Amino acid sequence: TDSKSRAKNRISTGFDEFDRVLGGGLISGAVVLISGEHGVGKSTMLLQVALNLSSKQKILYVCGEESPSQLVSRLDRLSKRKGNAENIFVTNDIVVENIFNLVSEEKFGLVIVDSIQSVTSLTSRGYPGSISQVRASGALLTRLSKVTGVPCILVGQINKGGDIAGPKILEHIVDCVLYIEGGEFNQYRILRGMKNRFGSTNEIGVFEMTSMGLDEVGNPSLVVLDSKSAVSGSAIGAVVQGSRVVFVEVQALVVERGAEVGPLRRVANGIKKPRLDMLCAVLSRRGGIYLGDKDVFVNVVGGLTVSEPAADLAVAAAIASSSRNAPLRADMVLIGEIGLSGELRMVGQMPARLREAAKLGFKTAIVPKRLRKGEPWPDGLQIIEVRSLQQALEHALVSGE
């Protein structure tokens, strides 16, 4: 369908973060697979989506993981905050053919299956959750959405390796694959698109888990930067996630090995290990920070995963700050990619990153020097343009002022 018909067929959930990751909302006939660790909040998120939709649509919720009474009790708790559960119909019938007949007879606006590993199809002899059953059930539910035009959301369990349990074909036949990240001891949840036929997979949604369900976090940067202060080993970088600029705090700890023997430890949490090894080598060779006899630990605060090279300068500055025990200015953001010769390279959407930095109250930004004039830099922000990593560290470290 063209863009106009797609926009007309969209079903708005009222969940801005959920809509953004999907690419504007559920589209008629779309099949979405959502997965994540146990207890991360998959069912809670889908119940809130159902409550937001129930004022305009009839929702069918297939509960194969828990009993209808357990689901209704959670619905009652969540509906006290927002939504009306009268149009949400719950069934514990896990036979896909029966679900197909039920949707064909009733005019449902959305079907939620929790989970795909708990339902069975009469066309397969396997037990629920087996590869044959998941393949057959997923194919029938996908066909159900395509024939009737009713969007369907499937909940997928994960295996011990962290992948969605079942055959890989399940991820191929659906239109969108979403993954919820967040640990047991982390109150924030990140909804990330792994596959999306209707939008970008770079979009993320950030939620906070509360006693009354999931709350949207409109500006994730405020969460990450909530307790930022001028201490050694901490730097702020700016990365682009889809259409939004997200500011991340990078922490580093450099430890002298002394008489300890054994291989050097390079521990990376939130960035790729090879990227950390490369930055440590560049710092030792080009930045005047020798790390050949030190262990380096790097962590991105808030559980975010950063793969964009624009965070290179923030990571390198945090490592240098910890090595010299010299704090970085708390109101400074560092943006830039680092090359093997120690040069700083420009990254995309730099004006947008700097505008967001000015809005959040940052006073200084260290960026690569522009080779040609383009869009003007925003006002209200002191922008320091440098050519190399060593020049950036001289401006960034408080002791280098």
Side-chain angles (χ1 to χ4, degrees), residues 203-204 218-222 237-248 308 333 335 348-357 360:
E203 297 284 1
I204 64 169
N219 192 343
S221 302
L222 297 180
V239 297
V240 174
Q241 296 280 0
S243 59
R244 294 190 300 176
V245 178
V246 178
F247 291 87
V248 295
E308 190 184 6
V333 61
I335 310 170
Q349 303 186 45
M350 183 63 77
R353 301 173 201 253
L354 295 178
R355 282 195 299 269
E356 290 297 321
L360 285 180

Side-chain angles (χ1 to χ4, degrees), residues 310-329:
D312 285 355
L313 184 55
V315 174
I319 296 173
S321 172
S322 177
S323 178
R324 294 182 179 178
N325 197 26
L328 300 166
R329 289 180 286 190

Side-chain angles (χ1 to χ4, degrees), residues 15 18 32 34 41-52 59 61 75 78 88 110 112-114 153-155 180 214:
F15 235 4
F18 193 83
V32 178
I34 185 169
K42 300 183 295 295
S43 300
T44 300
M45 176 177 291
L46 293 182
L47 284 175
Q48 290 184 249
V49 170
L51 285 170
N52 282 322
I59 313 297
Y61 199 108
L75 265 175
L78 294 174
I88 300 178
L110 175 66
I112 300 175
V113 180
D114 187 6
I153 301 179
L154 310 177
V155 177
I180 304 179
L214 289 165

